[in-house]
Amino acid sequence: IYHLPSSKSPVITVMSVVGALRSCRFFQEMLPSVPSVLCRNYSMDVPAPLLRTQGYVDGRWVSAASVFPVLDPATGLELARVSDCGPEEAKQAVDAAFRAFHTWKQTTAKERSVLLRKWFDLLTLHREHLARLITFECGKPLQESLGEVTYSASFLEWFSEEARRIYGDIVPSSANNRKVLLLKQPVGVASIITPWNFPSAMITRKVGAALAAGCTVVVKPAEDTPLSALALAELADQAGIPPGVVNVVPCSRDRTPSVGQVLCSDPLVAKISFTGSTATGKVLLKMAADTVKRVSMELGGHAPFIVFNSADVGKAVGGAMASKFRNSGQTCVCSNRFLVQSGIYDRFVDQLSRAMDSELRLGHGAEPDTTLGPLINSRAAEKVVHQISDAVSQGATVLKGGKRLDGSFMQPTLLAGVTTDMLCTKEETFGPLVPIIRFETEEEALAIANGTDVGLAGYFYSQDVGQIWRVAEALEVGMVGVNEGLLSTPEAAFGGIKQSGLGREGSMYGVHEYLEVKYMCFGGLKP
């Protein structure tokens, strides 16, 4: 329902018809299972300029022939209908990015830096509105969404600074009549394909680096969370980033394969950056192979969280809470397998159980006391339920939670007696499930932690300095948290090994993913 109060900008108010119906005795009797959260009125309160529902191509807002709904995962209610772009719009975006590239790559590093900084300033200015978009389309608690906007903006700030630090090299030549120079040049048009769990930060982490390097981009956001991407495009436009440099083509799940085909196979696209599942990443790699595109991918994880006997148990519990339950367990670096050494096993489990009771409160992300929101959709909840059922059938014990609630809400769940034969230790969960494995030796823990074909992040707690160095070097992951449950920062290189991806994002290395090295041999310098 669109609501236009006097003296205020237009806002969208999400109103629950079910809530009104439940006031009638008849519907109270007929609809007892309707989630209580559906009976509340939640206002997204986002100004109209930031609530865009069309695609953004060549500096213009463009409509498609059809639209698709964006839903609030907490209530199932429709938030907006967004243009369902197809291959035609995707091709238009690629062409626009290619035309713009020839001008954008000629801008100075300082010019690009200034524009990225303006974009950063606008994200900071509109932090609260952008956070509400994230909460309503993604489901995370508002405090987490505010944190994501700050994190998202930090990449624009970082890459605005890195734009002026893209250096080439002068290499000593073996011949005295030559100079050997290595130049850094932008690769060209980059297709940016992002996930729903960080609908703002995953875009700026990629696009900030690309623009700093001199590349232009076409962004395809996840179908569950296009509103944040379109709001970012609006702010890019306000920042003065030229037409065609940033393009956004939202599309439904049904149209994703055809749009992805264009973005990954069009010969005008030079680079693909993707964050998502390993299975999808492999499909995109095959598409990219025909035209031998540059590719960087951040794929699935299955992070171990190891607690050794020497650990500070209280700090380990705090790290576990931060690592596991952020965004209801729906992050690629969430801890999935908890390995606890037998000497402190009981103490850790008891303290973690108490922390879950005291710190986790389920609800709509707009509620001020909510710390745990819904999963993104019913399929995600069904996957967690399946992993719990599998574990219990093989002897695991549910110490806390274990049930699916209304809609896509899941109780935070603590499992003991877990073994490596159980599904929850073999595949990524993406939900609020804590399976705890007891181990005896350091060698045993490392064998379990490394016994997977992915390697994104890993965490461990220990106060033994020798053990810290041994384990940090032995863990087969791209990122290690030592006595720390939160890793992400724009200054550090983010990425994995094995089947968790290719390349790095953030840090100085994030820009390198969008650069080619050109060797120039300057001869004839002496008679």
Side-chain angles (χ1 to χ4, degrees):
I1 296 176
Y2 286 85
H3 174 52
L4 184 60
S6 60
S7 74
K8 289 188 177 181
S9 300
V11 297
I12 279 191
T13 300
V14 180
M15 303 189 68
S16 171
V17 176
V18 176
L21 292 176
R22 283 187 68 120
S23 65
C24 302
R25 181 178 302 172
F26 172 77
F27 283 99
Q28 289 174 351
E29 295 172 355
M30 295 297 292
L31 301 175
S33 62
V34 173
S36 61
V37 74
L38 294 183
C39 303
R40 298 290 304 276
N41 297 338
Y42 296 103
S43 175
M44 194 154 59
D45 288 337
V46 176
L50 291 181
L51 192 64
R52 292 291 187 173
T53 57
Q54 298 169 290
Y56 183 69
V57 177
D58 204 14
R60 296 177 294 107
W61 295 100
V62 298
S63 297
S66 59
V67 295
F68 67 98
V70 179
L71 307 179
D72 180 346
T75 65
L77 297 176
E78 185 175 295
L79 299 172
R81 294 188 177 186
V82 173
S83 291
D84 194 2
C85 296
E88 181 179 346
E89 289 82 9
K91 177 58 177 170
Q92 291 170 0
V94 169
D95 291 345
F98 186 73
R99 290 191 301 271
F101 172 64
H102 295 288
T103 303
W104 182 249
K105 71 178 181 179
Q106 299 298 333
T107 58
T108 66
K110 183 175 181 179
E111 289 171 326
R112 297 195 297 273
S113 174
V114 168
L115 289 173
L116 285 168
R117 180 69 195 202
K118 287 180 179 178
W119 198 9
F120 159 78
D121 289 337
L122 286 169
L123 261 70
T124 303
L125 178 66
H126 293 283
R127 178 172 175 259
E128 304 246 345
H129 292 136
L130 296 171
R132 293 192 71 81
L133 276 177
I134 293 171
T135 287
F136 274 82
E137 67 176 347
C138 179
K140 57 177 72 171
L142 187 57
Q143 284 303 311
E144 284 192 26
S145 297
L146 287 165
E148 179 179 343
V149 177
T150 299
Y151 180 52
S152 175
S154 73
F155 286 107
L156 298 180
E157 180 183 39
W158 171 259
F159 287 118
S160 75
E161 297 162 350
E162 284 298 293
R164 302 185 70 176
R165 295 195 285 260
I166 298 173
Y167 306 127
D169 299 288
I170 298 177
V171 181
S173 173
S174 58
N176 63 9
N177 65 339
R178 295 178 180 176
K179 292 293 183 183
V180 174
L181 294 87
L182 303 180
L183 310 180
K184 303 284 181 67
Q185 296 184 318
V187 297
V189 176
S191 291
I192 308 294
I193 303 173
T194 58
W196 51 264
N197 58 341
F198 284 90
S200 180
M202 293 303 94
I203 292 174
T204 58
R205 189 162 75 185
K206 298 171 185 293
V207 174
L211 267 58
C215 297
T216 56
V217 300
V218 180
V219 179
K220 194 211 84 66
E223 63 272 12
D224 293 302
T225 56
L227 301 180
S228 292
L230 296 170
L232 289 176
E234 167 64 27
L235 294 179
D237 185 68
Q238 291 182 23
I241 293 174
V245 173
V246 174
N247 305 272
V248 180
V249 284
C251 66
S252 63
R253 185 180 300 273
D254 290 342
R255 287 200 166 185
T256 291
S258 59
V259 170
Q261 180 72 40
V262 172
L263 298 184
C264 295
S265 62
D266 191 293
L268 298 184
V269 173
K271 158 81 179 180
I272 299 168
S273 179
F274 169 72
T275 295
S277 71
T278 298
T280 301
K282 291 177 179 179
V283 172
L284 301 186
L285 277 170
K286 291 177 181 178
M287 290 184 186
D290 285 343
T291 46
V292 195
K293 300 186 189 304
R294 285 279 296 276
V295 175
S296 57
M297 295 194 168
E298 190 255 289
L299 306 177
H302 194 29
F305 188 100
I306 308 171
V307 187
F308 291 102
N309 284 337
S310 68
D312 181 318
V313 174
K315 290 181 179 179
V317 167
M321 292 292 293
S323 175
K324 177 73 256 185
F325 294 110
R326 186 168 54 128
N327 196 17
S328 298
Q330 300 173 110
T331 82
C332 53
V333 292
C334 270
S335 298
N336 266 325
R337 299 167 291 155
F338 288 77
L339 288 69
V340 182
Q341 201 160 12
S342 57
I344 47 94
Y345 179 91
D346 292 336
R347 192 151 48 102
F348 178 84
V349 170
D350 177 65
Q351 290 189 29
L352 180 60
S353 177
R354 293 172 185 270
M356 290 170 66
D357 283 337
S358 63
E359 298 178 26
L360 300 179
R361 291 175 293 280
L362 279 164
H364 193 290
E367 295 283 357
D369 60 344
T370 293
T371 60
L372 202 68
L375 300 188
I376 189 65
N377 52 42
S378 59
R379 295 187 306 278
E382 289 163 3
K383 179 179 181 180
V384 179
V385 169
H386 179 58
Q387 288 193 358
I388 294 170
S389 298
D390 171 79
V392 171
S393 72
Q394 296 189 61
T397 302
V398 177
L399 300 182
K400 188 170 298 299
K403 295 181 180 179
R404 178 180 176 180
L405 304 176
D406 296 315
S408 60
F409 283 91
M410 276 295 308
Q411 287 182 332
T413 300
L414 181 60
L415 292 180
V418 174
T419 69
T420 56
D421 294 325
M422 298 173 184
L423 194 59
C424 59
T425 69
K426 296 180 179 180
E427 65 177 28
E428 192 173 22
T429 300
F430 248 58
L433 172 61
V434 181
I436 301 185
I437 302 170
R438 185 194 297 261
F439 73 90
E440 298 296 334
T441 68
E442 180 182 310
E443 293 74 19
E444 179 188 0
L446 285 171
I448 295 172
N450 292 336
T452 176
D453 58 6
V454 294
L456 187 57
Y459 310 85
F460 70 93
Y461 278 73
S462 170
Q463 296 186 91
D464 180 331
V465 174
Q467 183 176 64
I468 286 172
W469 281 109
R470 289 194 306 272
V471 174
E473 292 183 342
L475 280 175
E476 296 173 359
V477 294
M479 299 174 285
V480 181
V482 182
N483 297 327
E484 178 58 61
L486 295 175
L487 289 166
S488 302
T489 179
E491 298 84 2
F494 191 104
I497 61 174
K498 298 182 177 179
Q499 294 187 36
S500 282
L502 304 166
R504 292 295 182 267
E505 295 185 335
S507 78
M508 61 179 286
Y509 299 104
V511 176
H512 293 180
E513 298 291 333
Y514 297 89
L515 293 168
E516 297 282 13
V517 178
K518 177 182 285 185
Y519 161 43
M520 184 174 81
C521 180
F522 193 172
L525 297 179
K526 291 186 179 181

